[in-house]
Amino acid sequence: MVVLLEGMCPGLDKDLLRSLRAADIRTVEDLVSSDIEDVAQKCSVSYKALLSIRRVLLAQHTAFPVSGADLYEELLSSTAILSTGNPSLDKLLDSGLYTGEITELSGGPGSGKSQVCFGVSVHIAHRLKQSVIYIDTTGGLTASRLLQMLQTETDNTDEQMEALQRIHTFRLFDVCALLDCLYGLCSGGLHKARVGGGSVKAVIVDSVSAVIAPLLGGRHNEGMSLMIQVAAALKTMAKDFSVAVLVTNHVTRSGSGEVQPGLGVSWSHIPRTRILLERVETGACVSRPGRRRVTLVKSSRQACRIKEDFDLQRWSGADGEAPSGKRKLDQADP
Amino acid sequence: MAESGTQLFARLEARRCLKDIEPRLFADDGGPDHGEVVELYGPEGTGKTELLYHLLCRCVLPVAAGGLEVDVVFVDTDYSLDMFRLVSILDNRLNAGVSTSLTSARSNDAALRSCLSRLLVVHCCSSSQLLLTFHFLETTLSSRPSVALLLIDSISAFYWPDRSEGGASVTRQEEKLSKCSELMARLLRDYRITIFATCHTIRRSSSGPSSSSSASEPDRSYLCRSWQRLVTHRLLCSRQEAENKLAPADGGNRELRSRQVFSVHCSSSWMGTKASRVSSFTVTDGGVEFT
């Protein structure tokens, strides 16, 4: 709803505004939907003037159609695929996190969602040398764990410090603070975060269900509306600034008893790719407590329900100690 | 309102009828005619967006590759248009169509670009912007007489924000979508285009014998009356459960890949008659393939 204000466009002066309000036209939508001849007679304004005001307002507030060819060109040049650092996860995600999309990682308590997020941010900050925005809503982020993960990647303390500087963290615990933070990022925060070196390529929200789930259910629809607003803010940020958004979610059990991602049906349309993380329950698990199984639940690029196993303790997947040789260089596609 | 001669011609000139856009989906000879609206309804992961891509490709491809060569306007309300997936489907179909003759990369590229130039994409982020965009699209429709199809993905994207903005009054909640529907009705009447729109479910269907008859069916449309009145064909999309249908894999692959089969139940009601049809499809690299 955009309210008509004086000076919004040439020709919209105080007198015209007053006569429009008297004719019950208060917003841009009202003016655009009304019959111009009728209104011109009622407000005793020239038909041509009102028509040109309508055209200008429409041009200012509408979304412009873009040709498919131009859109494709733009996407080709601005989309990148960010490797997560873990080869099994990359295989599942069709080589990594795509910018311009929301990827959702869901799992039960203790399944390792935050650890996966740490691994991804450390990889992007250290190997790909790009900035990461980490929004923590559970209080689970500690810099010492990030440092520990960095120390397995490199021994050089300067490099470790540089990588840590590229990870910008926000700690918030309710949905209004989250919306504030996202709007702030969209309107300039992302550019400011560039100063540390490397533009922001990933935004991780761990976890989005912690702030939204308490609002759902009950008789009021505020919760659903806030959830859709958060989703819209994340999508706009992903598309307009070409960043990859990774969100985490909890799990619930469906009617037939199987595990599924939480936040309900209305949220399920929001992420483009969804993966489900679980512990591997086998008898001989004692020696490898970090084993996890990840399943692809929704994807527009690969067949669903493919599974991959990996070890949380060995994020880069290399079994040996030697860092060179076998390890592939992960680089973002230009 | 006075209109110029060109606008009058653009309005009256017959736009391409889309009755044959996908005969496997609709009942016999029951494809969407001028001025009809098709709603694709279903939960997440049931192939609605894939079906939209399939229809889109069918419209923009050249006649030689099995298309209709009409312009399409795609209104994207939840940023779900995946251009790369669309381009890969177009590529696949273009290559399949001209597999016998020699093709150079440049001519393929040119063909792809000409297909994409028939597509217009609009992103909307709120229902008031959607209303204004439809007003703006009127000028686009009158200046481009080759536009025959309007795709909306999805029409239910602003349902929850509208409900919360409207407060306690149901009329206020549905006000914006009603205005959009009335405007769409006028566009359908005046410009004789066809509209396909996806609508997401908001309630999970309760499976098993415990679902009582008093619980509302999850397949009932929950959007405003003006929209429900516009819809002539309703495609209910769902996943076929349990049996993993083994679709035959390409020659050379040793393993049989089990592909998820989706089913579509189409119920059309126009001019007092009702018809329905059930079809099923799988999703491959080349898009939707009907079984």
mmCIF file of all heavy atoms in Angstrom, chain A residues 49-86:
data_model
loop_
_atom_site.group_PDB
_atom_site.id
_atom_site.type_symbol
_atom_site.label_atom_id
_atom_site.label_comp_id
_atom_site.label_asym_id
_atom_site.label_seq_id
_atom_site.Cartn_x
_atom_site.Cartn_y
_atom_site.Cartn_z
ATOM 1 N N ALA A 49 -3.956 15.614 -17.540
ATOM 2 C CA ALA A 49 -3.010 15.743 -16.418
ATOM 3 C C ALA A 49 -3.091 14.511 -15.529
ATOM 4 O O ALA A 49 -2.076 13.949 -15.114
ATOM 5 C CB ALA A 49 -3.331 17.002 -15.615
ATOM 6 N N LEU A 50 -4.321 14.085 -15.251
ATOM 7 C CA LEU A 50 -4.497 12.933 -14.367
ATOM 8 C C LEU A 50 -3.941 11.674 -15.024
ATOM 9 O O LEU A 50 -3.332 10.822 -14.362
ATOM 10 C CB LEU A 50 -5.988 12.759 -14.072
ATOM 11 C CG LEU A 50 -6.325 12.139 -12.734
ATOM 12 C CD1 LEU A 50 -5.653 12.901 -11.613
ATOM 13 C CD2 LEU A 50 -7.819 12.131 -12.531
ATOM 14 N N LEU A 51 -4.135 11.581 -16.332
ATOM 15 C CA LEU A 51 -3.632 10.404 -17.046
ATOM 16 C C LEU A 51 -2.100 10.340 -16.973
ATOM 17 O O LEU A 51 -1.514 9.278 -16.766
ATOM 18 C CB LEU A 51 -4.088 10.462 -18.510
ATOM 19 C CG LEU A 51 -4.028 9.145 -19.276
ATOM 20 C CD1 LEU A 51 -4.950 8.142 -18.618
ATOM 21 C CD2 LEU A 51 -4.426 9.356 -20.715
ATOM 22 N N SER A 52 -1.471 11.517 -17.110
ATOM 23 C CA SER A 52 0.000 11.491 -17.068
ATOM 24 C C SER A 52 0.494 11.193 -15.664
ATOM 25 O O SER A 52 1.486 10.490 -15.476
ATOM 26 C CB SER A 52 0.586 12.799 -17.602
ATOM 27 O OG SER A 52 0.369 13.829 -16.678
ATOM 28 N N ILE A 53 -0.234 11.691 -14.634
ATOM 29 C CA ILE A 53 0.155 11.368 -13.246
ATOM 30 C C ILE A 53 0.043 9.863 -13.031
ATOM 31 O O ILE A 53 0.916 9.224 -12.426
ATOM 32 C CB ILE A 53 -0.743 12.131 -12.243
ATOM 33 C CG1 ILE A 53 -0.431 13.616 -12.282
ATOM 34 C CG2 ILE A 53 -0.548 11.598 -10.838
ATOM 35 C CD1 ILE A 53 -1.276 14.431 -11.352
ATOM 36 N N ARG A 54 -1.057 9.293 -13.538
ATOM 37 C CA ARG A 54 -1.254 7.845 -13.380
ATOM 38 C C ARG A 54 -0.108 7.071 -14.035
ATOM 39 O O ARG A 54 0.418 6.117 -13.466
ATOM 40 C CB ARG A 54 -2.582 7.443 -14.014
ATOM 41 C CG ARG A 54 -2.857 5.958 -13.950
ATOM 42 C CD ARG A 54 -4.095 5.631 -14.768
ATOM 43 N NE ARG A 54 -4.543 4.296 -14.549
ATOM 44 C CZ ARG A 54 -4.198 3.250 -15.297
ATOM 45 N NH1 ARG A 54 -3.382 3.426 -16.310
ATOM 46 N NH2 ARG A 54 -4.662 2.045 -15.046
ATOM 47 N N ARG A 55 0.297 7.546 -15.220
ATOM 48 C CA ARG A 55 1.358 6.826 -15.934
ATOM 49 C C ARG A 55 2.668 6.892 -15.163
ATOM 50 O O ARG A 55 3.386 5.906 -15.031
ATOM 51 C CB ARG A 55 1.532 7.429 -17.325
ATOM 52 C CG ARG A 55 2.103 6.424 -18.313
ATOM 53 C CD ARG A 55 2.220 6.963 -19.701
ATOM 54 N NE ARG A 55 0.988 7.544 -20.183
ATOM 55 C CZ ARG A 55 0.921 8.686 -20.829
ATOM 56 N NH1 ARG A 55 2.003 9.382 -21.067
ATOM 57 N NH2 ARG A 55 -0.242 9.149 -21.246
ATOM 58 N N VAL A 56 2.978 8.076 -14.628
ATOM 59 C CA VAL A 56 4.241 8.225 -13.897
ATOM 60 C C VAL A 56 4.232 7.378 -12.629
ATOM 61 O O VAL A 56 5.206 6.685 -12.318
ATOM 62 C CB VAL A 56 4.491 9.711 -13.553
ATOM 63 C CG1 VAL A 56 5.680 9.855 -12.632
ATOM 64 C CG2 VAL A 56 4.708 10.512 -14.817
ATOM 65 N N LEU A 57 3.123 7.404 -11.898
ATOM 66 C CA LEU A 57 3.048 6.625 -10.660
ATOM 67 C C LEU A 57 3.161 5.137 -10.954
ATOM 68 O O LEU A 57 3.829 4.397 -10.229
ATOM 69 C CB LEU A 57 1.738 6.919 -9.932
ATOM 70 C CG LEU A 57 1.669 8.255 -9.207
ATOM 71 C CD1 LEU A 57 0.298 8.453 -8.614
ATOM 72 C CD2 LEU A 57 2.715 8.306 -8.111
ATOM 73 N N LEU A 58 2.507 4.715 -12.033
ATOM 74 C CA LEU A 58 2.573 3.299 -12.389
ATOM 75 C C LEU A 58 4.011 2.911 -12.719
ATOM 76 O O LEU A 58 4.512 1.885 -12.277
ATOM 77 C CB LEU A 58 1.653 3.048 -13.592
ATOM 78 C CG LEU A 58 1.285 1.606 -13.865
ATOM 79 C CD1 LEU A 58 0.630 0.996 -12.651
ATOM 80 C CD2 LEU A 58 0.349 1.536 -15.044
ATOM 81 N N ALA A 59 4.686 3.783 -13.483
ATOM 82 C CA ALA A 59 6.071 3.469 -13.840
ATOM 83 C C ALA A 59 6.965 3.447 -12.615
ATOM 84 O O ALA A 59 7.912 2.663 -12.543
ATOM 85 C CB ALA A 59 6.595 4.483 -14.853
ATOM 86 N N GLN A 60 6.654 4.282 -11.611
ATOM 87 C CA GLN A 60 7.506 4.325 -10.427
ATOM 88 C C GLN A 60 7.335 3.094 -9.554
ATOM 89 O O GLN A 60 8.280 2.643 -8.917
ATOM 90 C CB GLN A 60 7.159 5.553 -9.572
ATOM 91 C CG GLN A 60 7.817 6.810 -10.036
ATOM 92 C CD GLN A 60 7.351 7.991 -9.202
ATOM 93 O OE1 GLN A 60 6.507 7.841 -8.332
ATOM 94 N NE2 GLN A 60 7.886 9.146 -9.471
ATOM 95 N N HIS A 61 6.133 2.562 -9.475
ATOM 96 C CA HIS A 61 5.876 1.543 -8.465
ATOM 97 C C HIS A 61 5.676 0.146 -8.984
ATOM 98 O O HIS A 61 5.495 -0.777 -8.217
ATOM 99 C CB HIS A 61 4.649 1.935 -7.626
ATOM 100 C CG HIS A 61 4.916 3.112 -6.775
ATOM 101 N ND1 HIS A 61 4.480 4.359 -7.099
ATOM 102 C CD2 HIS A 61 5.613 3.239 -5.648
ATOM 103 C CE1 HIS A 61 4.895 5.214 -6.177
ATOM 104 N NE2 HIS A 61 5.580 4.552 -5.292
ATOM 105 N N THR A 62 5.702 -0.004 -10.286
ATOM 106 C CA THR A 62 5.462 -1.351 -10.773
ATOM 107 C C THR A 62 6.771 -2.084 -10.972
ATOM 108 O O THR A 62 7.844 -1.490 -10.977
ATOM 109 C CB THR A 62 4.658 -1.268 -12.082
ATOM 110 O OG1 THR A 62 4.159 -2.562 -12.367
ATOM 111 C CG2 THR A 62 5.553 -0.860 -13.206
ATOM 112 N N ALA A 63 6.678 -3.382 -11.110
ATOM 113 C CA ALA A 63 7.872 -4.172 -11.411
ATOM 114 C C ALA A 63 7.980 -4.269 -12.919
ATOM 115 O O ALA A 63 6.996 -4.529 -13.594
ATOM 116 C CB ALA A 63 7.718 -5.560 -10.812
ATOM 117 N N PHE A 64 9.160 -4.058 -13.457
ATOM 118 C CA PHE A 64 9.310 -4.042 -14.896
ATOM 119 C C PHE A 64 9.556 -5.418 -15.471
ATOM 120 O O PHE A 64 10.326 -6.184 -14.929
ATOM 121 C CB PHE A 64 10.463 -3.131 -15.303
ATOM 122 C CG PHE A 64 10.043 -1.706 -15.385
ATOM 123 C CD1 PHE A 64 10.457 -0.789 -14.459
ATOM 124 C CD2 PHE A 64 9.173 -1.304 -16.379
ATOM 125 C CE1 PHE A 64 10.033 0.510 -14.523
ATOM 126 C CE2 PHE A 64 8.740 -0.007 -16.446
ATOM 127 C CZ PHE A 64 9.178 0.909 -15.516
ATOM 128 N N PRO A 65 8.921 -5.728 -16.593
ATOM 129 C CA PRO A 65 9.207 -7.010 -17.217
ATOM 130 C C PRO A 65 10.605 -6.996 -17.835
ATOM 131 O O PRO A 65 11.025 -6.007 -18.429
ATOM 132 C CB PRO A 65 8.146 -7.137 -18.324
ATOM 133 C CG PRO A 65 7.284 -5.958 -18.229
ATOM 134 C CD PRO A 65 7.907 -4.966 -17.321
ATOM 135 N N VAL A 66 11.299 -8.105 -17.673
ATOM 136 C CA VAL A 66 12.644 -8.251 -18.228
ATOM 137 C C VAL A 66 12.584 -9.369 -19.256
ATOM 138 O O VAL A 66 11.922 -10.376 -19.033
ATOM 139 C CB VAL A 66 13.638 -8.644 -17.109
ATOM 140 C CG1 VAL A 66 15.034 -8.783 -17.645
ATOM 141 C CG2 VAL A 66 13.600 -7.646 -15.987
ATOM 142 N N SER A 67 13.272 -9.197 -20.353
ATOM 143 C CA SER A 67 13.268 -10.266 -21.357
ATOM 144 C C SER A 67 14.051 -11.460 -20.826
ATOM 145 O O SER A 67 15.036 -11.310 -20.112
ATOM 146 C CB SER A 67 13.894 -9.746 -22.640
ATOM 147 O OG SER A 67 14.606 -10.768 -23.274
ATOM 148 N N GLY A 68 13.606 -12.640 -21.185
ATOM 149 C CA GLY A 68 14.259 -13.860 -20.703
ATOM 150 C C GLY A 68 15.720 -13.919 -21.080
ATOM 151 O O GLY A 68 16.564 -14.380 -20.308
ATOM 152 N N ALA A 69 16.048 -13.423 -22.292
ATOM 153 C CA ALA A 69 17.444 -13.472 -22.738
ATOM 154 C C ALA A 69 18.320 -12.591 -21.851
ATOM 155 O O ALA A 69 19.415 -12.999 -21.440
ATOM 156 C CB ALA A 69 17.528 -13.027 -24.198
ATOM 157 N N ASP A 70 17.846 -11.382 -21.529
ATOM 158 C CA ASP A 70 18.636 -10.490 -20.672
ATOM 159 C C ASP A 70 18.804 -11.079 -19.282
ATOM 160 O O ASP A 70 19.884 -11.016 -18.688
ATOM 161 C CB ASP A 70 17.941 -9.124 -20.533
ATOM 162 C CG ASP A 70 17.868 -8.399 -21.842
ATOM 163 O OD1 ASP A 70 18.715 -8.689 -22.716
ATOM 164 O OD2 ASP A 70 16.970 -7.559 -22.008
ATOM 165 N N LEU A 71 17.717 -11.659 -18.767
ATOM 166 C CA LEU A 71 17.781 -12.254 -17.433
ATOM 167 C C LEU A 71 18.798 -13.386 -17.401
ATOM 168 O O LEU A 71 19.585 -13.521 -16.460
ATOM 169 C CB LEU A 71 16.390 -12.783 -17.065
ATOM 170 C CG LEU A 71 16.163 -13.190 -15.628
ATOM 171 C CD1 LEU A 71 16.367 -12.004 -14.714
ATOM 172 C CD2 LEU A 71 14.761 -13.728 -15.465
ATOM 173 N N TYR A 72 18.821 -14.187 -18.447
ATOM 174 C CA TYR A 72 19.757 -15.306 -18.511
ATOM 175 C C TYR A 72 21.188 -14.811 -18.573
ATOM 176 O O TYR A 72 22.070 -15.329 -17.895
ATOM 177 C CB TYR A 72 19.414 -16.171 -19.722
ATOM 178 C CG TYR A 72 20.293 -17.375 -19.876
ATOM 179 C CD1 TYR A 72 20.403 -18.315 -18.858
ATOM 180 C CD2 TYR A 72 21.029 -17.596 -21.030
ATOM 181 C CE1 TYR A 72 21.207 -19.426 -18.986
ATOM 182 C CE2 TYR A 72 21.835 -18.702 -21.175
ATOM 183 C CZ TYR A 72 21.926 -19.615 -20.144
ATOM 184 O OH TYR A 72 22.726 -20.703 -20.292
ATOM 185 N N GLU A 73 21.438 -13.770 -19.371
ATOM 186 C CA GLU A 73 22.780 -13.191 -19.465
ATOM 187 C C GLU A 73 23.246 -12.733 -18.093
ATOM 188 O O GLU A 73 24.369 -12.991 -17.665
ATOM 189 C CB GLU A 73 22.760 -11.954 -20.362
ATOM 190 C CG GLU A 73 22.645 -12.220 -21.822
ATOM 191 C CD GLU A 73 23.878 -12.872 -22.379
ATOM 192 O OE1 GLU A 73 24.949 -12.809 -21.732
ATOM 193 O OE2 GLU A 73 23.758 -13.489 -23.437
ATOM 194 N N GLU A 74 22.334 -12.006 -17.409
ATOM 195 C CA GLU A 74 22.678 -11.458 -16.102
ATOM 196 C C GLU A 74 22.996 -12.571 -15.123
ATOM 197 O O GLU A 74 23.961 -12.495 -14.362
ATOM 198 C CB GLU A 74 21.467 -10.673 -15.622
ATOM 199 C CG GLU A 74 21.749 -9.661 -14.545
ATOM 200 C CD GLU A 74 20.438 -9.183 -13.970
ATOM 201 O OE1 GLU A 74 19.587 -8.746 -14.774
ATOM 202 O OE2 GLU A 74 20.269 -9.277 -12.749
ATOM 203 N N LEU A 75 22.185 -13.630 -15.149
ATOM 204 C CA LEU A 75 22.414 -14.723 -14.217
ATOM 205 C C LEU A 75 23.717 -15.441 -14.522
ATOM 206 O O LEU A 75 24.437 -15.845 -13.619
ATOM 207 C CB LEU A 75 21.259 -15.723 -14.279
ATOM 208 C CG LEU A 75 20.021 -15.325 -13.515
ATOM 209 C CD1 LEU A 75 18.981 -16.399 -13.641
ATOM 210 C CD2 LEU A 75 20.340 -15.097 -12.060
ATOM 211 N N LEU A 76 24.037 -15.602 -15.796
ATOM 212 C CA LEU A 76 25.281 -16.268 -16.175
ATOM 213 C C LEU A 76 26.473 -15.550 -15.589
ATOM 214 O O LEU A 76 27.445 -16.159 -15.164
ATOM 215 C CB LEU A 76 25.436 -16.295 -17.702
ATOM 216 C CG LEU A 76 24.877 -17.482 -18.460
ATOM 217 C CD1 LEU A 76 25.204 -17.344 -19.919
ATOM 218 C CD2 LEU A 76 25.433 -18.780 -17.911
ATOM 219 N N SER A 77 26.398 -14.199 -15.602
ATOM 220 C CA SER A 77 27.571 -13.468 -15.138
ATOM 221 C C SER A 77 27.593 -13.322 -13.630
ATOM 222 O O SER A 77 28.654 -13.101 -13.055
ATOM 223 C CB SER A 77 27.615 -12.084 -15.790
ATOM 224 O OG SER A 77 26.424 -11.408 -15.480
ATOM 225 N N SER A 78 26.439 -13.425 -12.965
ATOM 226 C CA SER A 78 26.490 -13.146 -11.534
ATOM 227 C C SER A 78 26.365 -14.385 -10.660
ATOM 228 O O SER A 78 26.635 -14.316 -9.477
ATOM 229 C CB SER A 78 25.378 -12.175 -11.151
ATOM 230 O OG SER A 78 24.141 -12.781 -11.418
ATOM 231 N N THR A 79 25.974 -15.520 -11.220
ATOM 232 C CA THR A 79 25.797 -16.694 -10.363
ATOM 233 C C THR A 79 27.116 -17.396 -10.143
ATOM 234 O O THR A 79 27.930 -17.520 -11.050
ATOM 235 C CB THR A 79 24.814 -17.672 -11.014
ATOM 236 O OG1 THR A 79 23.637 -16.975 -11.328
ATOM 237 C CG2 THR A 79 24.473 -18.802 -10.072
ATOM 238 N N ALA A 80 27.334 -17.832 -8.937
ATOM 239 C CA ALA A 80 28.543 -18.600 -8.631
ATOM 240 C C ALA A 80 28.107 -19.833 -7.857
ATOM 241 O O ALA A 80 27.040 -19.850 -7.258
ATOM 242 C CB ALA A 80 29.498 -17.767 -7.795
ATOM 243 N N ILE A 81 28.928 -20.860 -7.881
ATOM 244 C CA ILE A 81 28.655 -22.048 -7.081
ATOM 245 C C ILE A 81 29.738 -22.125 -6.018
ATOM 246 O O ILE A 81 30.921 -22.191 -6.338
ATOM 247 C CB ILE A 81 28.682 -23.325 -7.942
ATOM 248 C CG1 ILE A 81 27.785 -23.161 -9.161
ATOM 249 C CG2 ILE A 81 28.219 -24.510 -7.122
ATOM 250 C CD1 ILE A 81 27.780 -24.363 -10.061
ATOM 251 N N LEU A 82 29.342 -22.091 -4.759
ATOM 252 C CA LEU A 82 30.314 -22.106 -3.670
ATOM 253 C C LEU A 82 30.445 -23.527 -3.149
ATOM 254 O O LEU A 82 29.485 -24.105 -2.666
ATOM 255 C CB LEU A 82 29.834 -21.210 -2.529
ATOM 256 C CG LEU A 82 29.567 -19.765 -2.903
ATOM 257 C CD1 LEU A 82 28.853 -19.073 -1.766
ATOM 258 C CD2 LEU A 82 30.861 -19.064 -3.175
ATOM 259 N N SER A 83 31.642 -24.054 -3.226
ATOM 260 C CA SER A 83 31.834 -25.387 -2.677
ATOM 261 C C SER A 83 31.718 -25.325 -1.165
ATOM 262 O O SER A 83 32.163 -24.366 -0.532
ATOM 263 C CB SER A 83 33.217 -25.883 -3.089
ATOM 264 O OG SER A 83 33.599 -26.933 -2.250
ATOM 265 N N THR A 84 31.131 -26.367 -0.565
ATOM 266 C CA THR A 84 30.987 -26.336 0.896
ATOM 267 C C THR A 84 32.232 -26.823 1.594
ATOM 268 O O THR A 84 32.338 -26.723 2.803
ATOM 269 C CB THR A 84 29.840 -27.252 1.331
ATOM 270 O OG1 THR A 84 30.124 -28.567 0.841
ATOM 271 C CG2 THR A 84 28.525 -26.788 0.798
ATOM 272 N N GLY A 85 33.176 -27.406 0.846
ATOM 273 C CA GLY A 85 34.389 -27.895 1.481
ATOM 274 C C GLY A 85 34.349 -29.380 1.738
ATOM 275 O O GLY A 85 35.372 -30.011 1.945
ATOM 276 N N ASN A 86 33.149 -29.955 1.729
ATOM 277 C CA ASN A 86 33.016 -31.377 1.990
ATOM 278 C C ASN A 86 32.587 -32.047 0.687
ATOM 279 O O ASN A 86 31.522 -31.734 0.164
ATOM 280 C CB ASN A 86 31.943 -31.568 3.068
ATOM 281 C CG ASN A 86 31.769 -33.001 3.467
ATOM 282 O OD1 ASN A 86 31.639 -33.877 2.632
ATOM 283 N ND2 ASN A 86 31.773 -33.223 4.768
#
